[in-house]
Amino acid sequence: MSAEPPSSELALAARRHADDVIKPQVREWESAAVFPREAAALAAADGLLGLFAPATVGGQGAGLAAAMEVFEELGRGDAAYAFALSMHNAVANAIARFGQPELSARYAPGLVRGELLGGFSLTEPHAGSDATAITTRAEPDGSGWRVTGRKAWVSLAGEADLFLVVCKTSAEPGHRDVAIAAVERAGPGVAFPTLYRKACADFLPIGEMELDGAPAAMLAPAGAGMRAALGAIDVARCDIAAIAAGLHAEALDVAVAYSGRRQAFGGPLIDLQAIQFALADVATDLEASRLLYRRAAECLGTPDGPVAVAHAKRFCPDAALRAAIACSETLGAYGWLLDHPLARMIALAKMLQVVDGTAEIQRVVIGRSLSSRSPRE
């Protein structure tokens, strides 16, 4: 097994959740194309929906290193499901720790218990990697705020109960007036007109959200929104790196198990040097991925955090995709059959490459850091 022994009760709970809930049911979720709220409720019962939230609202108050181990374990079960839980945990933590007391009391306990699902909405049809180009607008209405605009690539679209929406409070270009507002899915002026068709994981709805004067509560006021959003995205990118390592580890286990059983040329495939060399490279990449995401978790919240996260987010999904392809090839023609999970893992690894910031954006972060260290004449 390529999995390491869980170092915490939360990680052990995540491993049980992956083995007992996710893996046995993920094909049914895929066929039904409906998000498994019942599975999320089971995850909540094990503390997996309030990882970062404080104990005062029923959360675990887990440190980043412990939480990343949880996401690796969930990534072994299914990367898309793990991604949804990552996003939910970010919302639950933000509401519990940074929301006004009334906002926290209203939503945080339900988010931690899994009675509510949380989603995060930043991207717009015209503003993807360039987050400062968003135009969704929040305006005061006397008793609160109203939000108007159109969002794209919204995960848990139409499914999450509460969305944190990154918006602006004026027509001024740039990020100085960026804010974050909390919007209920069931509120007036909220619609989800388009759900995207994807290569896999149709049980995780991703699509567009239209806001037409939707009532909202302000979480991060104008001027604080972009910093808060970027901080949350750094944590999310670290989550994705850990999830990618989980997918990577599971792909390696599938290939090792298959090649140990499969007989060819007078013995098991795993005894052939070509197979050993291919899987050895996969194993080395897995060790590197774990070191990178753990280092990133240690650096979060420090000046070294954004670059450490960028290294992990750039490398780990790429390594997971290489691993899924190499492990699929170990199975020969069987690798692309749905009887084995590797074809789906290839598609999921491609998803991990782009969510929460593409590899190219991570190179921008790393490159700017290198540029800042370069001596100037």
Side-chain angles (χ1 to χ4, degrees):
M1 293 286 289
S2 59
E4 299 177 343
S7 64
S8 70
E9 287 299 319
L10 280 173
L12 182 59
R15 180 171 293 187
R16 288 196 303 265
H17 191 70
D19 289 341
D20 299 342
V21 178
I22 305 174
K23 292 178 187 178
Q25 298 185 72
V26 68
R27 288 188 183 180
E28 296 176 16
W29 301 346
E30 196 78 307
S31 297
V34 175
F35 187 78
R37 298 285 295 235
E38 68 285 353
L42 293 172
D46 283 333
L48 304 180
L49 295 195
L51 290 173
F52 304 116
T56 52
V57 296
Q60 303 300 312
L64 289 165
M68 295 310 132
E69 188 178 0
V70 166
F71 288 121
E72 178 177 340
E73 294 294 343
L74 293 174
R76 294 179 67 95
D78 183 77
Y81 176 81
F83 168 58
L85 266 55
S86 161
M87 181 173 55
H88 169 91
N89 270 283
V91 172
N93 182 53
I95 292 290
R97 293 188 183 276
F98 308 115
Q100 294 293 324
E102 180 183 350
L103 188 67
S104 179
R106 183 175 181 181
Y107 296 116
L111 289 165
V112 167
R113 292 194 297 263
E115 297 161 2
L116 303 174
L117 283 180
F120 184 79
S121 178
L122 169 62
T123 303
E124 298 182 4
H126 61 280
S129 297
D130 183 6
T132 62
I134 63 170
T135 58
T136 294
R137 184 84 169 268
E139 296 179 318
D141 71 349
S143 59
W145 295 80
R146 298 277 176 173
V147 180
T148 298
R150 189 180 185 94
K151 292 293 186 178
W153 295 100
V154 179
S155 296
L156 289 173
E159 184 68 38
D161 303 284
L162 183 72
F163 289 91
L164 296 186
V165 178
V166 182
C167 51
K168 292 171 65 67
T169 57
S170 76
E172 176 186 350
H175 63 83
R176 288 186 296 181
D177 66 333
V178 170
I180 300 178
V183 177
E184 291 186 3
R185 168 178 55 86
V190 181
F192 301 89
T194 303
L195 293 181
Y196 305 142
R197 295 297 310 278
K198 307 180 296 298
C200 68
D202 271 347
F203 68 83
L204 174 60
I206 299 177
E208 296 186 357
M209 177 168 60
E210 287 184 348
L211 302 163
D212 185 10
M218 195 59 66
L219 177 72
M226 185 56 71
R227 181 183 295 273
L230 292 177
I233 287 171
D234 269 352
V235 175
R237 288 172 177 172
C238 198
D239 294 348
I240 294 298
I243 291 167
L247 184 154
H248 191 147
E250 188 69 13
L252 181 56
D253 279 354
V254 170
V256 168
Y258 177 88
S259 58
R261 295 190 303 267
R262 177 75 171 183
Q263 297 290 310
F265 305 105
L269 279 178
I270 193 69
D271 288 345
L272 298 176
Q273 190 178 67
I275 300 297
Q276 290 181 353
F277 278 16
L279 297 183
D281 288 347
V282 171
T284 299
D285 273 358
L286 177 58
E287 292 300 308
S289 291
R290 284 174 170 154
L291 291 171
L292 280 168
Y293 88 67
R294 290 168 183 170
R295 163 69 174 161
E298 291 173 357
C299 291
L300 278 166
T302 75
D304 294 331
V307 175
V309 167
H311 283 304
K313 178 61 171 69
R314 190 215 63 77
F315 181 86
C316 295
D318 286 2
L321 178 59
R322 289 195 300 270
I325 292 171
C327 291
S328 174
E329 290 171 350
T330 301
L331 274 65
Y334 291 102
W336 60 273
L337 294 183
L338 294 181
D339 293 339
H340 301 280
L342 288 164
R344 189 165 185 275
M345 287 183 185
I346 292 171
L348 287 170
K350 286 297 297 179
M351 177 197 79
L352 296 176
Q353 284 183 316
V354 297
V355 295
D356 288 321
T358 64
E360 288 71 29
I361 288 297
Q362 311 318 310
R363 290 185 175 96
V364 168
V365 174
I366 297 164
R368 285 175 177 169
S369 173
L370 295 173
S371 179
S372 71
R373 291 160 42 191
S374 176
R376 307 289 172 158
E377 295 183 357

